Amino acid sequence: SFVAGVIHPWRVSAFERLLWRACRGYLVANFVEMPEPMEDPTTGESITWVIFLISYWGEQIGQKIRKISDCFHCHVYPYPESEASREDTISGLHSQIQDLSVVLEETEQYLAQVLDKVVVALPTWRVQVQKMKAIYLVLNLCSFDVTEKCLIAEVWCPVRDLTQVQDALRQGSYKSGSSVECFVQRIPTSESPPTLIRTNKFTAGFQSIVDAYGVASYQEVNPAPYAIITFPFIFAIMFGDVGHGLLMFLFALWMVLYEDSPSLRQASNEIWLTFFEGRYLILLMGAFSIYTGFIYNECFSKATVIFPSAWSVATMANHSSWSSAYLATHPSLTLDPNVSGVFRGPYPFGIDPIWSLATNHLNFLNSFKMKMSVVLGIVHMSFGVLLGAFNHVHFRQWHRLVLELLPEMIFLLALFGYLVFLVFYKWITFTAAESLVAPSILIHFIDMFLFTSNADNLPLYRGQVPVQTVLVVLALASVPVLLVGTPLYRWSRSRAPRTGRPAPVATVEQEPLLEGQEAGNSVNSTKEDVESGEHGADDKHLDLAEIFMHQAIHTIEYCLGCVSNTASYLRLWALSLAHAQLSEVLWTMVMRNGFVRLSYVGGVVLVPVFAAFAVLTVAILLVMEGLSAFLHALRLHWVEFQNKFYVGAGYKLCPFAFAPDAWE
Amino acid sequence: RALGFALPLVLFSAFWGLVGIAAPWFVPKGPNRGVIITMLITTAVCCYLFWLIAILAQANPLFGPQLKNETIWYVRFLWE
């Protein structure tokens, strides 16, 4: 009799020993290793099993053997006694194996065919599923009608596009072949509408830097069209250098000319995308920097002599008899504009190139740049105050024109406009002949506020003191007008008997629409005050106190802000000085060393020197200084310019679009 | 040769006046007309003011440049 089975290879020796001991040698055991590993059905590992065949005689030994095999977790198989039945079993098993392998093959082939068919159709399916998912996501935003038969979506729509929306709805209903049409209905609301400013690819960059500070309130004047030019201009004042501006301009030009190339558009680097989005901004910044570079007469820190210099060294030398011996003993000498013929009229375009050779050029340049910063700052701020007039006119708040704009302008112009006048007056009327007794504008300005006078400081013009007194009194008088004018006016208006209720939400505003079966985005439910008309004062005391408080804060902020913001514009001077000094340092300490040797060796040395100069120019002057000037120009716009008129409390319209994560 | 003050003043005022006052009339009609006119006027005002400040600051200098003796020698004999 036989017992045949398979056993785990690790248990073979123990199994053999146990069998030998248990059956006392009344058996013959044969162990053969399998030719290839097979998978264990219980654990799934592939193990090289060992096949064993035990021949024994005697029933009891057989039972013992079977029990032992059970203990060792062997898989036992029936082993027929006779040779013929063994052969039959083997052939039966072989045919079974063949059948099974045929079935497996056919199944795999069939599977491959099905998968091939699916691969062709898979992209279409994916798109369909994405579309369905996106549509359902949007439909989830709608709400159900009372009758539960249709969906309602409340959306904001610009009045100008209303007919387009109606057309689109009609087309959609027609194409889908539905019996019920979608329709649109305007409903009144007291919510404040979102702000929509239409931009093209050029203006989008500038609008985004204005929006980064605050989205314009509904129908407020938008500072972006002016910022298109003033922002690059203010940047250029701080960056002024022809060479650096040209590099920046060319970089931006490359981006603009190749803006449709997909490799530029779809880069994943965020920093690159930021630069790419602002390519028109950088283009204008570079262009204006070239202009201011010409005015500052700086090209990689070197001055260009386009026109002959206005200062004549020869005349001075002849007048003071500067012989070569005299020059040898005096290391530095000054040109005197009082000597006739030395100064021949101002350089027609920009700063005279002689100043870049002078050792005292910072004396002149600092005075020029500080006055320039103050003048440009006051002009910028006045422009900001004037823009407020657009707001007052648009919202029909005429009283604010007289009670707010006028006192603000008087305050600003009487004090700081007068300062601008003093600067220009001194430039025009005081010549070198009076240079020893030239009055100091700063001392005059301080004395103007303190109502004192300084005997050493000559007046600029006859009658200066009374004029200044009048201006200061005018400015001081405008402060209380600004403080209580508007609140008193509104209070008196609310106390006067009214003929009827003021019209509810004015017709010029956008109103939400009611649509069925068409989706839109739900509206932010911000209960902000609508900026049109005046509300009936339900609770007069609270309203009045709030108005007074608001106006007091505004007055203090404006008056103190005028002083501090004017000083803040001095950063235009500071940054342009820093830029000029940095580029000069790069020239004298890096590039000039490449020109020291005049031999062929010098030519070879020039190459790495230029490489260092180029790398440092790009890294420090273009990137670092560029970012710095950008930041300060941004600050000047956001704070000093915009706090004169801009409220920026609105929210943007999110136009209807499928959410991008629906495409995942 | 005297450079004169009147000639640059007239020239540049005329140029920026052309850009800021005359050119806006010739901008073709389109959706961007307002933006382009704003840009032209702003550019003209900014650039003209900047140039004006630069030239007025140098019109009546109260002091002259202080030069090193090498510079004086170079400029005297090579520039003039």
Side-chain angles (χ1 to χ4, degrees):
Chain A
S1 322
F2 300 95
V3 171
V6 290
I7 184 175
H8 199 280
W10 296 347
R11 302 195 191 112
V12 169
S13 43
F15 187 52
E16 241 186 299
R17 229 177 291 137
L18 194 55
L19 278 176
W20 179 255
R21 288 203 197 115
C23 309
R24 275 179 244 138
Y26 280 105
L27 55 85
V28 176
N30 254 328
F31 292 90
V32 168
E33 214 179 88
M34 260 194 196
E36 67 218 2
M38 263 177 58
E39 217 181 277
D40 180 359
T42 42
T43 60
E45 299 170 49
S46 104
I47 308 168
T48 322
W49 299 93
V50 171
I51 310 171
F52 64 88
L53 180 67
I54 303 175
S55 14
Y56 63 92
W57 51 98
E59 196 51 48
Q60 283 183 333
I61 293 184
Q63 281 177 356
K64 268 195 219 169
I65 294 175
R66 272 181 234 280
K67 268 196 215 145
I68 294 173
S69 334
D70 267 341
C71 286
F72 275 84
H73 303 292
C74 310
H75 299 282
V76 175
Y77 298 100
Y79 195 82
E81 304 277 329
S82 65
E83 185 73 33
S85 46
R86 272 182 243 151
E87 304 258 319
D88 281 338
T89 324
I90 288 179
S91 52
L93 286 173
H94 273 308
S95 56
Q96 248 191 350
I97 289 174
Q98 244 187 350
D99 286 340
L100 281 175
S101 59
V102 165
V103 168
L104 276 175
E105 232 183 82
E106 299 238 324
T107 316
E108 278 193 23
Q109 261 184 7
Y110 179 66
L111 197 62
Q113 271 182 356
V114 169
L115 285 178
D116 279 337
K117 281 199 203 134
V118 169
V119 156
V120 170
L122 191 61
T124 332
W125 288 354
R126 182 176 287 152
V127 168
Q128 280 179 338
V129 167
Q130 281 173 344
K131 277 192 186 175
M132 287 198 284
K133 180 176 170 193
I135 292 176
Y136 275 112
L137 272 180
V138 170
L139 285 181
N140 277 343
L141 296 170
C142 308
S143 51
F144 268 110
D145 191 15
V146 216
T147 61
E148 297 266 332
K149 293 234 178 83
C150 69
L151 288 169
I152 300 179
E154 291 184 0
V155 294
W156 291 102
C157 176
V159 175
R160 209 190 305 176
D161 293 339
L162 203 49
T163 42
Q164 262 187 329
V165 168
Q166 282 168 333
D167 279 341
L169 280 180
R170 214 173 302 133
Q171 267 191 6
S173 312
Y174 174 68
K175 273 199 187 162
S176 71
S178 64
S179 50
V180 182
E181 248 200 25
C182 313
F183 58 92
V184 161
Q185 218 179 37
R186 289 171 77 141
I187 57 170
T189 181
S190 61
E191 280 180 28
S192 156
T195 311
L196 170 68
I197 297 178
R198 299 180 205 260
T199 56
N200 54 27
K201 67 181 179 187
F202 176 73
T203 53
F206 302 97
Q207 188 65 49
S208 68
I209 61 174
V210 170
D211 287 342
Y213 177 74
V215 178
S217 303
Y218 183 60
Q219 294 196 333
E220 185 185 33
V221 68
N222 179 20
Y226 312 100
I228 296 179
I229 295 294
T230 59
F231 180 81
F233 179 67
I234 299 238
F235 171 89
I237 297 180
M238 296 189 269
F239 196 75
D241 189 301
V242 173
H244 303 147
L246 190 65
L247 288 175
M248 194 178 258
F249 181 77
L250 290 175
F251 171 62
L253 194 66
W254 167 70
M255 280 198 287
V256 167
L257 289 178
Y258 288 96
E259 66 185 356
D260 292 325
S261 119
S263 61
L264 284 185
R265 259 193 193 274
Q266 287 149 18
S268 52
N269 189 349
E270 275 211 27
I271 299 184
W272 161 257
L273 275 179
T274 314
F275 279 111
F276 184 72
E277 293 289 315
R279 58 196 182 279
Y280 288 104
L281 190 59
I282 302 179
L283 190 74
L284 282 185
M285 280 165 22
F288 274 100
S289 299
I290 299 178
Y291 179 77
T292 55
F294 273 118
I295 300 266
Y296 286 151
N297 217 342
E298 294 225 345
C299 178
F300 292 113
S301 88
K302 296 279 117 197
T304 52
V305 189
I306 306 174
F307 302 94
S309 169
W311 293 82
S312 170
V313 175
T315 317
M316 186 71 192
N318 292 337
H319 172 266
S320 306
S321 36
W322 289 348
S323 62
S324 296
Y326 187 79
L327 284 180
T329 50
H330 290 82
S332 92
L333 293 160
T334 311
L335 295 177
D336 186 2
N338 271 319
V339 175
S340 63
V342 171
F343 175 67
R344 298 177 298 194
Y347 192 71
F349 188 66
I351 303 286
D352 202 300
I354 194 99
W355 287 108
S356 74
L357 301 171
T359 46
N360 66 343
H361 87 281
L362 278 182
N363 285 11
F364 168 72
L365 224 52
N366 281 348
S367 158
F368 157 66
K369 284 186 179 174
M370 284 172 112
K371 291 180 178 170
M372 166 205 76
S373 312
V374 167
V375 168
L376 287 174
I378 293 170
V379 169
H380 201 208
M381 287 195 291
S382 320
F383 178 55
V385 177
L386 279 177
L387 278 183
F390 283 118
N391 276 338
H392 301 321
V393 167
H394 178 82
F395 291 113
R396 305 208 199 293
Q397 293 170 327
W398 311 106
H399 63 278
R400 289 182 73 174
L401 275 179
V402 175
L403 294 171
E404 278 190 30
L405 187 75
L406 200 59
E408 282 178 359
M409 283 305 283
I410 290 178
F411 186 82
L412 185 63
L413 291 181
L415 298 178
F416 297 98
Y418 178 67
L419 178 65
V420 171
F421 165 75
L422 284 182
V423 165
F424 277 98
Y425 187 83
K426 186 177 171 185
W427 274 342
I428 295 175
T429 52
F430 280 82
T431 62
E434 301 118 355
S435 62
L436 286 175
V437 295
S440 156
I441 295 182
L442 198 57
I443 308 282
H444 273 301
F445 201 56
I446 296 174
D447 285 341
M448 176 168 133
F449 283 106
L450 299 178
F451 294 106
T452 58
S453 67
N454 207 326
D456 297 328
N457 206 12
L458 293 179
L460 279 152
Y461 55 91
R462 219 164 42 131
Q464 180 175 2
V465 173
V467 166
Q468 286 181 178
T469 319
V470 167
L471 286 174
V472 172
V473 166
L474 209 60
L476 287 178
S478 66
V479 173
V481 176
L482 186 59
L483 183 64
V484 298
T486 309
L488 279 181
Y489 174 82
R490 288 176 71 177
W491 181 55
S492 67
R493 271 283 297 259
S494 68
R495 290 226 313 185
R498 264 177 295 145
T499 48
R501 272 197 46 133
V505 175
T507 48
V508 291
E509 287 182 12
Q510 302 168 357
E511 292 171 347
L513 309 177
L514 190 67
E515 303 175 45
Q517 296 245 315
E518 172 69 78
N521 282 324
S522 41
V523 180
N524 289 353
S525 53
T526 48
K527 291 278 173 201
E528 280 174 22
D529 299 341
V530 180
E531 248 223 339
S532 68
E534 297 157 23
H535 300 284
D538 296 320
D539 194 358
K540 283 187 192 159
H541 291 292
L542 204 62
D543 222 18
L544 197 61
E546 199 192 310
I547 296 175
F548 267 106
M549 179 62 64
H550 177 87
Q551 196 66 20
I553 294 176
H554 175 79
T555 306
I556 295 175
E557 206 181 16
Y558 180 79
C559 296
L560 292 181
C562 273
V563 182
S564 76
N565 293 347
T566 308
S568 181
Y569 274 95
L570 284 172
R571 71 188 66 219
L572 296 176
W573 158 63
L575 266 109
S576 76
L577 181 68
H579 189 93
Q581 292 299 299
L582 269 176
S583 57
E584 203 179 304
V585 158
L586 265 190
W587 169 263
T588 41
M589 302 219 168
V590 178
M591 194 64 191
R592 210 169 56 135
N593 295 331
F595 296 122
V596 165
R597 270 178 276 222
L598 296 177
S599 60
Y600 285 111
V601 176
V604 172
V605 162
L606 188 59
V607 174
V609 167
F610 176 72
F613 174 72
V615 165
L616 285 174
T617 298
V618 170
I620 297 181
L621 287 172
L622 286 185
V623 173
M624 189 188 86
E625 275 287 312
L627 284 174
S628 168
F630 181 92
L631 179 80
H632 285 282
L634 206 59
R635 182 254 153 68
L636 282 177
H637 273 75
W638 281 355
V639 179
E640 274 79 15
F641 175 59
Q642 284 182 198
N643 72 3
K644 302 283 178 293
F645 68 98
Y646 193 59
V647 174
Y651 63 101
K652 257 192 176 162
L653 175 78
C654 301
F656 169 67
F658 287 111
D661 58 355
W663 301 120
E664 300 297 295
Chain B
R1 203 174 68 81
L3 288 167
F5 185 33
L7 183 63
L9 189 63
V10 166
L11 273 177
F12 279 98
S13 308
F15 174 70
W16 290 116
L18 215 75
V19 169
I21 304 175
W25 294 106
F26 296 102
V27 177
K29 286 208 202 305
N32 297 323
R33 183 161 202 254
V35 175
I36 296 180
I37 291 180
T38 311
M39 282 171 64
L40 282 172
I41 297 179
T42 328
T43 312
V45 169
C46 288
C47 293
Y48 180 66
L49 189 60
F50 197 59
W51 168 82
L52 190 68
I53 292 174
I55 197 171
L56 284 180
Q58 298 178 95
N60 294 312
L62 298 177
F63 59 92
Q66 184 184 39
L67 303 169
K68 290 202 296 226
N69 51 2
E70 299 167 347
T71 316
I72 296 174
W73 191 92
Y74 178 90
V75 170
R76 178 183 185 179
F77 290 110
L78 284 154
W79 277 15
E80 307 175 44

